[in-house]
Amino acid sequence: MNFSYENNEQAKLPLYLQIKRQIQQNLIQAGWQFDTPIPSEHALAAEFNASIGTIRKAVDGLVEEGILVRQQGRGTFIRQPDFTSSMARFFRHRTKAGEQQIPVGVVKSVQEVAGVDEINRLLGEPENAPLVYLERLRLNGEKVILSEKIWLPKSKFAPLLNLPLEGFDNLLYPFYVQQCGQLVVSAKERLTFLADYQDEELTQGEAQAVIKISRLAKGLDGSIIEYRESYGIAQDFYYETIIS
Amino acid sequence: MNFSYENNEQAKLPLYLQIKRQIQQNLIQAGWQFDTPIPSEHALAAEFNASIGTIRKAVDGLVEEGILVRQQGRGTFIRQPDFTSSMARFFRHRTKAGEQQIPVGVVKSVQEVAGVDEINRLLGEPENAPLVYLERLRLNGEKVILSEKIWLPKSKFAPLLNLPLEGFDNLLYPFYVQQCGQLVVSAKERLTFLADYQDEELTQGEAQAVIKISRLAKGLDGSIIEYRESYGIAQDFYYETIIS
DNA sequence: CAGTGGTCTAGACCACAGC
DNA sequence: CTGTGGTCTAGACCACTGG
């Protein structure tokens, strides 16, 4: 288990990249307001003493990364991430009527655990830093379609430990923002196949073929803020991708 | 060549999009040379009577779509698609030494077949248009790691029918360009799981768990030029993706 | 060296949202 | 109406490639 984002540090960056980075820093410091725009391009041009075109190129970069969205006539905003259905997008699950159904998320347990070498390394945490560990299910009605194990750095997510299970929202990522000020902007996932996975909830104790999804979620400052393992029945597996 | 906003039936497109489309058309007409650059930005600006910035934006679009690549100091070129390992990128196969190995492609059969409703629809061909059908294996040494079935429109790929099996290259897509003038620029893939797939070569007649990859490959003019089904052993499945 | 793409400027006008 | 992002111009200079 050794996948990670690479860090590229440069010496002499073009102005538009410097500005891009600075804007990103400002977003972190200011705290994110999804409903109020960032300063206008004109204002940014004045602030950074650069031309509009250069500002646009900097903002373009953040838009491409999915961190900002432009709205003509209104302004440029921090993107409200929509992971609504993304968590279960690898699987097909439909009602009897044939409609796509959005699974419900239920947290089954929350606890503090000691650091685990392998996971702390993925999270970029010190070797023995404590973690927050969640178990969670995704349900379609009565049916369990996804079983999840989630590890978070306690340094950033300690507030979750003081909440009752009923206090957790259906969607976790907006909840992270609300409770801990942690914004997930992108994620890297690895899919593998397990012939014999066993789990009380998902497979009801019998060994079954599953697809395992390992996810590293990245925060606004570029650090990894969540490691998650999700398991779903292989028979329901369904994924589309575009390559070029 | 006149690009003014005129009496078009179409909605009015920004100039840079009109130019982008026109460049793409020119690439098709000119036939692709991977080793000679397209006209310089200066030349294009003169040809289209637009400013450099607008030309850059048009070319940027084609670069983002993976059709062109820029090389500072040299020029802008049609991208030599690198599907070298992409066909088998969903699977992990390594030598005993642990190196990633690039599988070898071997075509087992080529024949003309009657149109199949479902497939002709996917290819955008008339209902009874004949097809070219290939069977192909991907091998690591002796081991079969991928079994493929490929359907192509005869209208574009008839030349393949006159070739001996030994004449087929290891890589198919560069071969398509060379033999039929068909360039694959992108593809859409759908992954699903089959619990009991049986195949003489891949599973040696025994039913096994496999991952099925259905691919639609798109040509330079945007039409679908290939439909392909690939099957690989589920145990070897391994895929990474970034979402945002 | 000449020619290419890469960055950057300092404006202009257009299209759209919201008051 | 004002202010926003979206398009476009006509240059400039820099960084890199190749002969």
Side-chain angles (χ1 to χ4, degrees):
Chain A
M1 195 182 325
N2 63 342
F3 61 121
S4 60
Y5 290 93
E6 67 271 22
N7 286 349
N8 45 354
E9 285 298 331
Q10 300 287 348
K12 45 167 190 173
L13 282 177
L15 179 56
Y16 75 93
L17 286 180
Q18 295 178 41
I19 292 176
K20 177 190 160 204
R21 178 181 301 190
Q22 188 56 50
I23 293 175
Q24 195 164 357
Q25 282 303 320
N26 293 351
L27 294 180
I28 297 173
Q29 284 186 303
W32 21 90
Q33 316 282 356
F34 296 112
D35 49 355
T36 63
I38 70 171
S40 75
E41 297 178 343
H42 226 89
L44 289 170
E47 178 185 344
F48 290 109
N49 197 25
S51 84
I52 295 272
T54 301
I55 297 298
R56 282 192 67 81
K57 203 161 180 193
V59 173
D60 279 344
L62 294 170
V63 169
E64 245 173 273
E65 291 179 20
I67 292 175
L68 298 178
V69 287
R70 288 205 169 95
Q71 289 184 234
Q72 181 172 143
R74 300 223 308 131
T76 300
F77 301 79
I78 297 194
R79 173 164 165 256
Q80 177 85 291
D82 179 21
F83 285 88
T84 310
S85 62
S86 79
M87 307 184 179
R89 76 198 183 292
F90 291 113
F91 298 87
R92 72 190 131 193
H93 289 287
R94 305 184 184 278
T95 64
K96 283 165 187 165
E99 304 137 8
Q100 181 94 34
Q101 200 165 328
I102 296 176
V104 173
V106 179
V107 174
K108 303 297 283 187
S109 76
V110 187
Q111 51 187 304
E112 179 175 345
V113 297
V116 183
D117 280 5
E118 206 175 348
I119 292 171
N120 285 40
R121 204 177 323 116
L122 291 173
L123 292 170
E125 288 282 300
E127 199 157 314
N128 285 319
L131 304 175
V132 177
Y133 172 69
L134 307 185
E135 289 183 349
R136 185 162 176 267
L137 300 177
R138 304 279 294 175
L139 307 163
N140 259 0
E142 296 287 309
K143 192 182 179 206
V144 177
I145 64 164
L146 219 53
S147 168
E148 302 187 315
K149 302 175 180 182
I150 302 171
W151 289 265
L152 307 162
K154 188 189 173 194
S155 57
K156 289 170 179 154
F157 289 90
L160 299 186
L161 292 168
N162 303 320
L163 288 169
L165 290 182
E166 311 80 61
F168 282 83
D169 271 358
N170 179 22
L171 299 179
L172 274 188
Y173 286 171
F175 192 66
Y176 288 169
V177 175
Q178 186 186 320
Q179 298 291 324
C180 310
Q182 296 295 328
L183 178 66
V184 171
V185 297
S186 69
K188 182 173 178 177
E189 299 189 320
R190 169 189 296 178
L191 279 63
T192 52
F193 171 81
L194 302 179
D196 295 299
Y197 178 79
Q198 201 163 331
D199 177 301
E200 209 43 60
E201 306 280 359
L202 182 70
T203 73
Q204 272 137 13
E206 293 177 11
Q208 277 204 35
V210 304
I211 300 290
K212 171 182 175 182
I213 304 162
S214 310
R215 169 189 291 186
L216 288 176
K218 202 190 236 186
L220 190 46
D221 63 354
S223 66
I224 305 296
I225 60 178
E226 181 200 62
Y227 173 65
R228 176 188 302 214
E229 295 180 351
S230 306
Y231 301 83
I233 301 297
Q235 291 282 2
D236 298 323
F237 178 58
Y238 178 96
Y239 180 50
E240 287 193 348
T241 182
I242 291 179
I243 62 176
S244 56
Chain B
M1 204 161 318
N2 190 359
F3 274 84
S4 57
Y5 300 142
E6 283 178 16
N7 48 357
N8 277 346
E9 51 195 79
Q10 300 182 352
K12 167 176 140 185
L13 279 179
L15 180 56
Y16 75 93
L17 286 180
Q18 295 178 43
I19 293 176
K20 177 190 160 206
R21 180 189 299 189
Q22 188 57 49
I23 292 175
Q24 194 163 358
Q25 282 302 320
N26 292 351
L27 294 180
I28 297 173
Q29 284 186 301
W32 20 90
Q33 317 281 357
F34 296 112
D35 48 355
T36 63
I38 70 170
S40 75
E41 298 178 343
H42 223 87
L44 289 169
E47 177 184 345
F48 291 110
N49 196 26
S51 83
I52 296 272
T54 301
I55 296 298
R56 281 192 66 82
K57 201 160 182 195
V59 173
D60 279 345
L62 293 170
V63 169
E64 246 175 89
E65 290 179 19
I67 293 175
L68 298 178
V69 287
R70 288 207 170 93
Q71 292 187 37
Q72 182 171 146
R74 301 223 309 130
T76 300
F77 302 78
I78 296 194
R79 174 163 165 255
Q80 178 83 286
D82 179 20
F83 286 87
T84 309
S85 62
S86 79
M87 307 183 181
R89 77 196 184 293
F90 291 113
F91 297 88
R92 71 191 130 192
H93 288 286
R94 305 182 183 278
T95 63
K96 282 164 187 166
E99 305 137 6
Q100 181 93 37
Q101 200 166 329
I102 296 176
V104 173
V106 179
V107 173
K108 304 297 282 186
S109 77
V110 187
Q111 52 186 305
E112 178 175 344
V113 298
V116 182
D117 280 6
E118 201 178 347
I119 291 170
N120 284 40
R121 204 176 322 116
L122 290 173
L123 292 171
E125 288 282 300
E127 199 158 314
N128 285 318
L131 304 174
V132 176
Y133 173 69
L134 307 185
E135 288 183 350
R136 185 162 176 266
L137 299 176
R138 305 279 295 176
L139 307 162
N140 258 1
E142 296 286 309
K143 192 183 178 205
V144 177
I145 64 164
L146 220 51
S147 168
E148 301 187 316
K149 303 175 181 182
I150 300 171
W151 289 266
L152 307 163
K154 188 189 173 193
S155 57
K156 289 170 178 154
F157 289 90
L160 298 186
L161 293 168
N162 303 321
L163 288 170
L165 289 182
E166 311 81 61
F168 281 82
D169 271 359
N170 179 21
L171 300 178
L172 273 188
Y173 285 171
F175 192 65
Y176 288 169
V177 175
Q178 184 186 319
Q179 298 292 325
C180 309
Q182 296 295 328
L183 177 66
V184 171
V185 297
S186 70
K188 180 173 174 180
E189 300 190 318
R190 169 188 297 175
L191 280 65
T192 51
F193 171 81
L194 302 179
D196 296 298
Y197 177 80
Q198 200 163 332
D199 177 301
E200 209 44 62
E201 306 279 359
L202 181 69
T203 72
Q204 273 137 13
E206 293 176 11
Q208 278 205 34
V210 304
I211 300 290
K212 171 183 175 181
I213 303 163
S214 311
R215 170 189 290 186
L216 288 175
K218 203 186 254 188
L220 189 47
D221 63 355
S223 66
I224 305 295
I225 60 178
E226 181 200 63
Y227 173 65
R228 176 189 301 215
E229 295 179 351
S230 306
Y231 301 83
I233 301 297
Q235 291 282 1
D236 297 325
F237 179 58
Y238 179 95
Y239 180 50
E240 287 191 350
T241 182
I242 290 180
I243 62 176
S244 54

